[in-house]
Amino acid sequence: MHIYLIGFMGVGKTTIGKCLSRKLGLPFQDTDMLIEALTGLTVEEIFNTQGEAYFRQKEQEVIQNLAKGQSAVISTGGGLPCHFNNMLVLLHSGYVVYLNAKPAFLVSRLLASKKSRPLISGLNKDDLYTFVNERLSLREQYYLRANLIVDATAKSLNEVVKSVVLGYQHKLKKHGH
Ligand code: S3P
């Protein structure tokens, strides 16, 4: 069974995902990286030259294919669960973990890495805070449908990973694995 990591940009899905994959001996996949490999363009280039709608189509394609594949730890782009029926695809094919964080934490993380993120690359600190706050409150209705919600800010990386492993093992047992 897959483990899907969902949550806002900057929350640490990739770092936590890689750590989980090592711990559980499952392959690691990242939807942004797969889209880049598929198109031969960076996420930033896709947004700039093809537009967001095209990116969302690629996201849907990639997640539908991953869902059918062998069990993996899958880190998803921040907007993925909030488009089409993607959240249902995740819930039907794996254990979905929402990595949760407050806007202030996300903003401080994003300020360091916003250049490669087209949705926020042009924003100053105040605008970024407004953006995160608004976007997060729109997206939470999707994120909160996850099987497990983990506070990614209060805990160390090891503690976050441990909570996810415990929840995943519990789910596997319930399903008779
Ligand atoms: C996006 C998040 C990004 C990437 C794209 C759009 C979003 O992924 O998919 O820039 O809509 O929140 P990360 O959450 O991995 O940064």
Side-chain angles (χ1 to χ4, degrees):
M1 187 188 302
H2 298 305
I3 297 187
Y4 293 108
L5 298 179
I6 67 169
F8 210 81
M9 286 180 269
V11 76
K13 288 165 292 189
T14 305
T15 311
I16 293 165
K18 285 185 177 163
C19 203
L20 269 170
S21 108
R22 275 196 300 272
K23 196 136 217 160
L24 293 167
L26 292 174
F28 174 72
Q29 303 279 6
D30 177 296
T31 59
D32 286 341
M33 276 161 46
L34 287 171
I35 293 168
E36 292 186 341
L38 188 75
T39 58
L41 299 168
T42 65
V43 171
E44 197 186 7
E45 286 165 347
I46 299 174
F47 268 72
N48 291 339
T49 65
Q50 317 288 315
E52 179 173 349
Y54 176 84
F55 176 78
R56 298 301 172 196
Q57 268 171 31
K58 291 291 150 203
E59 252 184 350
Q60 186 184 31
E61 256 173 66
V62 159
I63 204 63
Q64 286 181 349
N65 279 328
L66 280 173
K68 291 184 243 154
Q70 62 156 318
S71 288
V73 176
I74 301 167
S75 161
T76 63
L80 185 142
C82 319
H83 290 87
F84 310 110
N85 67 340
N86 294 345
M87 189 62 186
L88 276 180
V89 173
L90 305 188
L91 286 165
H92 286 154
S93 59
Y95 185 63
V96 185
V97 179
Y98 171 32
L99 300 173
N100 176 258
K102 295 256 182 327
F105 174 88
L106 296 169
V107 168
S108 67
R109 292 277 303 255
L110 288 171
L111 280 172
S113 65
K114 65 175 184 170
K115 263 179 77 190
S116 57
R117 290 182 158 112
L119 288 173
I120 57 168
S121 52
L123 304 180
N124 66 29
K125 193 172 177 188
D126 286 348
D127 291 344
L128 185 58
Y129 188 85
T130 309
F131 173 88
V132 171
N133 219 4
E134 285 176 4
R135 208 37 90 109
L136 187 60
S137 55
L138 288 174
R139 287 182 171 179
E140 281 221 304
Q141 58 179 309
Y142 300 94
Y143 293 157
L144 290 172
R145 293 166 67 199
N147 300 115
L148 179 73
I149 299 167
V150 179
D151 180 350
T153 57
K155 298 177 174 183
S156 70
L157 176 61
N158 273 339
E159 283 171 317
V160 172
V161 168
K162 211 164 141 190
S163 313
V164 179
V165 169
L166 281 176
Y168 178 65
Q169 285 170 343
H170 184 71
K171 169 99 172 179
L172 284 180
K173 246 189 226 153
K174 265 201 338 209
H175 283 251
H177 289 271

